[in-house]
Structure formats: structure tokens, C-alpha cells
Amino acid sequence: MSDTPDPRDAIDTAAALFEIPLQPEWREVAAASFATVAAAARLVAEFPLEDEAEFAPVFRA
Amino acid sequence: MSTAIAQGTARDGVEAALARIAEHDGLINAFTAVTAERARATADRLDAAAPAPLAGMPFAVKNLFDVAGLPTLAGSRINRDRPPAARDAFLVRRMEQAGGVLLGALNMGEYAYDFTGENAHDGASRNPRDPERMTGGSSGGSAAAVAAGMVPVALGSDTNGSIRVPASLCGLFGLKPTYGRLSRAGTFPFVSSFDHLGPLARNVTDLARVHDALQGADPEDPMQAARPVEPVLPELERGIAGLRIAVAGGYFARGGHPEAFAAVAAAARALGATTVVEFPEAHRARAAAYVITAAEGAALHAARLRDRAAGFDPEVRDRLIAGLAIPAAWVAWAQRFRRWYQARVAALFRDVDVVLAPATPVRAPLLGQKTLELDGATVPLRPNLGLYTQPISFIGLPVVAVPLWPDAGLPIGVQVIAAPWREDLALRVARVLERGGVAHCG
């Protein structure tokens, strides 16, 4: 996973896709928040998983 | 009002609770609705009937639970326009069927996307241990109402720590059962993958009694597991002989203030727990929970963000907008990692029965505080209050948060964590800590 492009671009794209009436001050905070999520996603992405790893919605002892 | 069973009649208990609410809630701001007439009518019916297990226990619920006749706010301004709920949430019905008496609905962080107990619309719930400090959230009103003695028990929800964080900051016992144990029907959701419901109380017996009352199959919750009712109250006094109790090391032994670790050490000493175990990749588990939370929460609220964005609490809105930008692949990675992590932690529980970990990295911060100092770094407060709770709810493990008082200052919680479906073990350990005077509500 490459470094995220400017997170403002991601916010602008999402706002267009979901028809969000984005205000400039919201955009800055949302972009910072997105950057934090991207860092978390990068941490997850770095972990090698087998192709067979499936979702786990059910828990057993 | 610190004990479960009201002395005298159910009506006496209700009147005493209403008096406490009238006396304290102006300052504490725990309630968003008090259902006094309903409570009196329920109590009178109970007093005329055969004794019930909860014996007239007054209780209140986080305002994301449906309460017949009230709009289900979920801490929001937007939901005030919803029609009143036609009937109570499943767990509210279970409580009243067992002899509980609903006193009202409680303040919470907007749409449960919160660890502080602050709310832009209703104002912050205030910590009864020090009203200048946070309750923690998002079940902030639930913790405040119980810590102030307004009700002996409150129900809350816990997606990433929203029962355990306020239990820690307000000095209470809180139970987050196994994911899928209790029906979520009739509550406003947040993150379906992680949403849990459970009680906060002033003692372990009340937690167990209420947990037993709440259990039951509900066809209206598609995520509820097919489990029998497994009462914990009969097991509660069995003690810890034979139980293998360990302390969580690694991730859970870093990043907090000294009192967080002092509390864990005190609990471990009292229990004779010397083994240290490590939840593998716990930091990555937290990261994965963060991604899934942001994405599922945003998806839930996308239409409201389109139509009524200005009606959100700004602290919530901008994070939800960010969630709409998350690629689906990130969520899939996080869910697949969750499977890996769940399997590794399940293996860990083959060698131990219960694990102790801090509940929060700090005691109750001041209201309005935005940052924390953790390990010499200044970090944002909101996400980091859930530092130690998030990797546990990520895989649905049952946890009892127990309140310790490591010095003369404010309380702080310890998580007593068990394998899936072993709420009984976590509650037995919590009960031993309570009986020994190590964990208590002050």
C-alpha cells in the first residue's frame, strides 16, 4: 500500500459520491481523520495473511 | 440506593430513586428523560404481584434503547424528529419482566461514536466523583446515573469500550458480555460488527443478576448467537480455586499512566496471578477495529450526512465523513485480520482462564480536555481512552470492568477478560476482588 495521496482529495471524492454538502472547515478535520484511518489501515495491510483467511463474525470458545 | 433490592416496596424504591434524580441530576446531567409516571405504575403493578427476581430494582437505559413513547435519540439532535418508539427494546422488556422498573433514558455521546461522555446537544454528563471531570463514554449518562446513586443499575452499549471506559472513569462495575450473547433488537446501532449491550452497577451481584435477567433468545436480532440461557448468579460465589489467572503484558503494559498499571498489579496480587500473557498483535487489532468502526459507522449515517450534515455534533460528523472515503479493501483486510487474531487469542485461552488488563490509560480527564500525555507523547484524547478496550471487543470477548482505587485519588478500572461465553469466570474473579475489598465503588 503506497502512501496515501492528499487526504483532502479522498474527502472531496467521498463528498461527491455521497452528495455531502461539505464545508471547508469540515473538510480539513475530515481529511485529518482520514489520514489517521489510513495509517491504521497501513498497519493492518503490513500483516501477511493467507489467501484463505476469512471473516470471523462468529466467536467460539 | 446502592443495593440491588429495594428495601420496602417497589414503589418506595421508585420514589427514593426519583428523589435522588431530582436532587442530583441538575448537576450530573445523566438523564435525558425521566419516565416517572410509567415507573410508578410499573412499581404498583409489581407490588400487587408475586415477588420477581429483580424485586423492583430501578434502572435506566442509554438513550439508544427504544423506550415506548420516546424518540430514540442515540445522543443526537437529528433523531429528535423520529416518531416515538412503539415499544420497548428487547432488553428493557426483559428487565421489566424480571421485576425491574424503568426510570428513564440517559445521556450519551452522539451516535455512540465517543469515549468522553460529552454531547454537543444535551451537554456533557458529569462525573459524580468530580463533576469537573468526564464520565467517559459513550455510555456516560449510564455511568453517571449509577455512580451518583440515582439508580442501582443502568444499561449501556459497548462497541469499542463504551461500557468499560465510563465504568473505569466513574469507579463502577461494568459487564460487556460476549458478542452475540444479548439481543440488540430495539436499540439504535453503531457498528454492527462490534456492538454489544450490557449493564453497569455498583456491585458484582447486581451485574450477575441483571445479566441473567437479560439473557434470552430473540428472533428479531439476526446477530444473536444460538446459546442457551446460562445463569451466572448460581456460580458467583464459587471463588477462584483452580482458575488460571494471568496478566496481559506487551501492548497492555505500555502507554498508560502509572495508576493504570498499579491497579492491574493490585488486582493480580490479590488473585495470586503471576503469569504474564501477550495478546499477539494487539496494536494491529486496535488499528483494524478503528478502520471497521469508521467505515461501518459512516455507512450507517451516509444518508443523514447527505441530508442533515449540519445537525450532527461536529466532533462526530467530520469523522463520519472521513469514514465514507475508506476503500472497501481496507475493511476487508481488517475483517480478515480479525479472524487471524481471534484464532490466536482463542489459543491463548487454552492455557489461561482469565486475563487482567487496564481498562483505561488514565483516570477521568477534565471536561473539555482534548489531549493526553502518554509515554511522553501528546496524543488526541478521544481515540486513546479506548486504547486497552478496543483490541478486546474487536473479537467479542466477555469482560467485567472492576473499579480500583490505587491511591487517595480517583478510581480507575481493570478489565477482567475471559474466553467467549465465559462471563461466569470473569464475574467470579470480579466477585473475589470485591469480596476482598480490592475492587469497590467507594
Side-chain angles (χ1 to χ4, degrees):
Chain A
M1 188 174 142
S2 65
D3 283 346
T4 314
D6 188 334
R8 294 179 193 83
D9 296 339
I11 297 301
D12 291 342
T13 302
L17 281 171
F18 291 96
E19 303 174 67
I20 308 301
L22 193 64
Q23 303 299 307
E25 64 274 23
W26 306 356
R27 178 177 182 253
E28 291 305 311
V29 181
S33 183
F34 181 76
T36 304
V37 178
R42 197 170 297 121
L43 201 56
V44 176
E46 286 166 1
F47 191 76
L49 288 169
E50 301 295 325
D51 286 339
E52 288 73 20
E54 294 187 61
F55 289 13
V58 176
F59 301 102
R60 299 183 185 88
Chain B
M1 294 306 303
S2 61
T3 58
I5 304 300
Q7 301 301 307
T9 65
R11 182 63 183 260
D12 291 340
V14 164
E15 296 300 341
L18 290 171
R20 292 280 295 176
I21 293 167
E23 184 183 354
H24 294 289
D25 202 44
L27 172 65
I28 298 300
N29 197 29
F31 279 81
T32 53
V34 178
T35 53
E37 289 317 305
R38 168 183 168 147
R40 289 185 172 113
T42 305
D44 290 346
R45 273 200 306 278
L46 282 171
D47 286 332
L54 296 183
M57 176 193 281
F59 74 99
V61 296
K62 187 174 185 173
N63 71 26
L64 55 66
F65 284 77
D66 285 351
V67 173
L70 298 178
T72 304
L73 301 183
S76 71
R77 188 168 84 202
I78 292 167
N79 282 27
R80 274 153 230 249
D81 297 340
R82 286 162 65 96
R87 66 170 181 162
D88 296 331
F90 180 83
L91 295 192
V92 174
R93 301 202 303 275
R94 294 290 302 172
M95 286 292 287
E96 292 208 325
Q97 285 161 6
V101 183
L102 180 72
L103 263 289
L106 298 162
N107 202 353
M108 59 176 282
E110 189 181 63
Y111 291 128
Y113 205 174
D114 170 59
F115 280 134
T116 67
E118 296 178 337
N119 183 296
H121 317 299
D122 291 308
S125 50
R126 290 175 175 270
N127 192 322
R129 311 294 185 181
D130 177 350
E132 298 307 312
R133 293 183 180 271
M134 293 176 181
T135 53
S138 62
S139 307
S142 302
V146 177
M150 295 189 252
V151 283
V153 167
L155 303 186
S157 67
D158 187 318
T159 301
N160 285 298
S162 285
I163 288 173
R164 293 162 289 158
V165 169
S168 176
L169 302 191
C170 291
L172 296 173
F173 294 93
L175 170 63
K176 185 202 75 60
T178 309
Y179 182 83
R181 168 77 81 179
L182 300 180
S183 169
R184 306 181 304 192
T187 61
F188 199 87
F190 173 29
V191 178
S192 178
S193 290
F194 308 144
D195 286 345
H196 305 68
L197 305 174
L200 296 103
R202 297 181 66 91
N203 60 67
V204 179
T205 304
D206 281 358
L207 274 192
R209 183 179 285 126
V210 168
H211 181 59
D212 288 353
L214 295 175
Q215 293 182 61
D218 179 10
E220 293 182 27
D221 180 355
M223 294 303 285
Q224 191 182 29
R227 299 283 301 188
V229 173
E230 295 171 300
V232 292
L233 195 60
E235 309 295 317
L236 199 57
E237 303 297 339
R238 282 184 56 193
I240 56 168
L243 291 188
R244 301 161 299 171
I245 304 171
V247 174
Y251 175 89
F252 292 95
R254 294 192 296 268
H257 285 198
E259 55 267 29
F261 306 122
V264 173
R269 248 191 331 272
L271 297 164
T274 54
T275 306
V276 176
V277 295
E278 192 150 348
F279 284 75
E281 304 290 337
H283 67 300
R284 232 180 285 275
R286 179 175 176 240
Y290 199 88
V291 172
I292 294 168
T293 297
E296 283 194 27
L300 178 71
H301 291 290
R304 277 177 287 275
L305 289 166
R306 180 190 64 208
D307 299 334
R308 304 188 63 176
F312 280 82
D313 182 336
E315 294 274 10
V316 173
R317 179 196 56 222
D318 300 339
R319 285 182 292 152
L320 290 175
I321 292 172
L324 291 175
I326 294 173
W330 293 3
V331 181
W333 291 344
Q335 288 283 11
R336 294 174 66 236
F337 174 78
R338 188 182 182 205
R339 170 63 169 266
W340 179 92
Y341 180 68
Q342 188 268 336
R344 294 308 176 282
V345 174
L348 181 155
F349 274 104
R350 285 198 278 274
D351 299 322
V352 298
D353 297 301
V354 166
V355 181
L356 307 175
T360 52
V362 295
R363 295 189 257 224
L366 291 167
L367 286 166
Q369 190 174 325
K370 299 294 184 196
T371 59
L372 292 174
E373 299 293 322
L374 297 182
D375 268 354
T378 301
V379 298
L381 175 141
R382 277 178 175 267
N384 283 293
L385 281 176
L387 193 65
Y388 300 130
T389 51
Q390 214 161 356
I392 307 301
S393 36
F394 180 53
I395 49 168
L397 302 177
V399 186
V400 178
V402 300
L404 271 79
W405 305 71
D407 51 37
L410 292 165
I412 190 164
V414 170
Q415 295 186 90
V416 180
I417 305 161
W421 315 112
R422 298 313 306 263
E423 287 86 347
D424 59 326
L425 300 185
L427 284 160
R428 278 167 54 189
V429 169
R431 178 69 183 123
V432 166
L433 290 170
E434 180 185 46
R435 216 163 45 202
V438 178
H440 59 88
C441 290

